Amino acid sequence: MQPDLELVAVRRDESFKVWSHGYPYRTVRWHFHPEYEIHLIVATTGKVFVGDHISSFVPGNLVMVGPNLPHNWVSDVPEGETVERRNLVVQFGPEFVAHCMESFPEWRQVEALLAASRRGVSFGAQTSAAIQPLFIELLNARGLRRIVLFMSMLEVLVSAQDSELLASPAYQTDPSGFAATRINHALSYIGKNLSSDLRESDLAQLAGQSVSAFSRYFRRHTGMPFVQYVNRMRINLACQMLMDDELSVTDICYKVGFNNLSNFNRQFLLAKGMSPSKFRRYQHLNDASRDASDEAAARGDGVANAPAIVPAVQKRGRVRISAGAYRAT
């Protein structure tokens, strides 16, 4: 059975995603994603599937899975019954890992754990007990506290003496093969053609399904109807464009695939709680605060011994500190 692709959305103002869900839930199926995942079961028993590994789980089951490794937890819950909170989840992407590797030499200690997670790593009761309070606090943590808790969790996992690899050495993940499944092919097509006229009937034909079957499968996979999903993707693209003043709001409306301005404004307000023009004004306010800070620094305003602001330059798609930009005073 081919696994489904889970679309993990990490907020722009956060480095990783932490959340919980109950049972049944739409992600409780055989699936994969490019992100690393730390998964803790807090309620129910059942079967855990990781790659070609199958075993039983109980509350306290703690597993870390690597990028594109298919996995699933199926609980022994009678039909019709629901569980409010079954598991806790942390997900973080390869780019975040790469940035940490580049920024913190100490992060090298995590490399072995990350490599092992590509087969799935299960941890024993002792490590699970140490992780759970950190996990619970992390659910509601904000700001730097999130980073502290996340790093503390990794420190516990790196030092664990009760870990076990799950998938066999011969098991190889093949995300290119997974992406060839019908729904994932459709999602990829949507992402590449947002500015085009996207019709559910055309995507159903692309997936080789009837419209009704495709509609049910799409909603089960993404958690939302086809039109709502396409609108959300278009709004996300519009937000990126609104951060630049090169295009007017009207131009952006048509470039992201909306066919009239009033519908674009309505959908943007629904998704973001503000109009596109107000979103852009907030970005200008953010830019203005930076400019005002630069001007104050040039005048010598501010508290003595305050931190220096070192200008950065963009080079080959990465932000680097400009050479000679800072000098001691």
Side-chain angles (χ1 to χ4, degrees), residues 19 34-35 52 74-75 83 106 111 194 196 203 236 254 295-296 298 312 322 325 328:
W19 56 299
E35 293 76 17
D52 57 1
V74 180
S75 294
V83 177
E106 296 85 354
E111 285 186 311
L194 285 174
S196 303
L203 271 293
N236 289 344
Y254 292 107
E295 291 172 4
S322 56

Side-chain angles (χ1 to χ4, degrees), residues 138-149:
L138 185 57
L139 284 172
N140 298 309
R142 294 293 181 267
L144 289 176
R145 184 59 182 166
R146 296 180 87 248
I147 302 297
V148 172
L149 291 167

